[in-house]
Amino acid sequence: MARRKKKKGRYRFDIVLILSIFILIVSFCAYMTNTTLEEVLESKYPSGIVVHEEKYGES
């Protein structure tokens, strides 16, 4: 009779790595779609930022 080796209850490293990268990408995309650049810059530089508009210089 062939002896069966006991399987250890360990996670496979490649599956954990792929899942963690997928979660990182999804959370990054969610952050980027829900946050504008102006909000980030205003929180980082509260004194003010220069925002260029399309009709700059027209009266």
Side-chain angles (χ1 to χ4, degrees):
M1 294 185 125
R3 292 186 180 181
R4 290 188 171 196
K5 294 182 180 180
K6 290 184 180 180
K7 291 185 178 180
K8 295 181 181 180
R10 294 173 42 187
Y11 293 108
R12 291 184 54 187
F13 182 71
D14 54 348
I15 293 176
V16 172
L17 184 65
I18 291 170
L19 283 176
S20 62
I21 291 172
F22 178 72
I23 291 170
L24 180 68
I25 290 171
V26 168
S27 62
F28 177 75
C29 290
Y31 173 76
M32 292 302 286
T33 57
N34 293 325
T35 308
T36 62
L37 178 62
E38 286 82 13
E39 290 175 7
V40 174
L41 290 175
E42 285 174 358
S43 67
K44 188 167 183 147
Y45 304 105
S47 61
I49 59 170
V50 176
V51 178
H52 298 285
E53 297 186 16
E54 293 179 15
K55 297 181 180 181
Y56 180 75
E58 293 181 13
S59 298

